[in-house]
Amino acid sequence: MDDNQHWEQICQRCGECCFEKKIDKKGTVLTTSVPCRFLDIHTRNCRIYHQRLQAEEDCIKLTPDNLAGLDWLPLNCAYRKHLNL
């Protein structure tokens, strides 16, 4: 198993990162109840996962290098827990 496969297996597929975000007047990022158009809300899986970065300009590939700067991820995100963020 390569490093990318190991990283992908950490995700618990909650789908929380796939809901639209808004920034309030104070700069706080708020998660809305509006899912990405490609998120299957029942399974919480992306319907176009392998093409998501090309199809959706707002989709961000989560990596160990960029995770610390993504303060909008929920505290219970498996990636955050894995990296102790």
Side-chain angles (χ1 to χ4, degrees):
M1 178 182 314
D2 67 24
D3 288 341
N4 188 54
Q5 288 173 320
H6 173 69
W7 177 252
E8 292 285 328
Q9 287 184 341
I10 293 169
C11 179
Q12 294 177 335
R13 309 290 186 258
C14 71
E16 293 296 318
C17 60
C18 299
F19 283 79
E20 290 185 15
K21 314 294 185 278
K22 290 188 178 184
I23 301 174
D24 70 11
K25 293 178 183 179
K26 295 179 182 178
T28 304
V29 178
L30 306 168
T31 300
T32 72
S33 61
V34 180
C36 169
R37 62 189 167 142
F38 300 115
L39 181 68
D40 181 317
I41 60 169
H42 300 291
T43 65
R44 296 291 178 118
N45 288 315
C46 179
R47 289 185 276 242
I48 60 159
Y49 187 78
H50 295 290
Q51 293 84 32
R52 72 193 186 285
L53 301 173
Q54 294 78 27
E56 181 56 55
E57 67 182 35
D58 292 332
C59 189
I60 298 172
K61 183 175 182 171
L62 303 178
T63 69
D65 294 329
N66 71 2
L67 211 65
L70 304 176
D71 58 357
W72 47 264
L73 284 171
L75 294 176
N76 64 344
C77 172
Y79 288 132
R80 287 181 63 127
K81 288 180 179 181
H82 179 75
L83 296 176
N84 297 312
L85 299 174

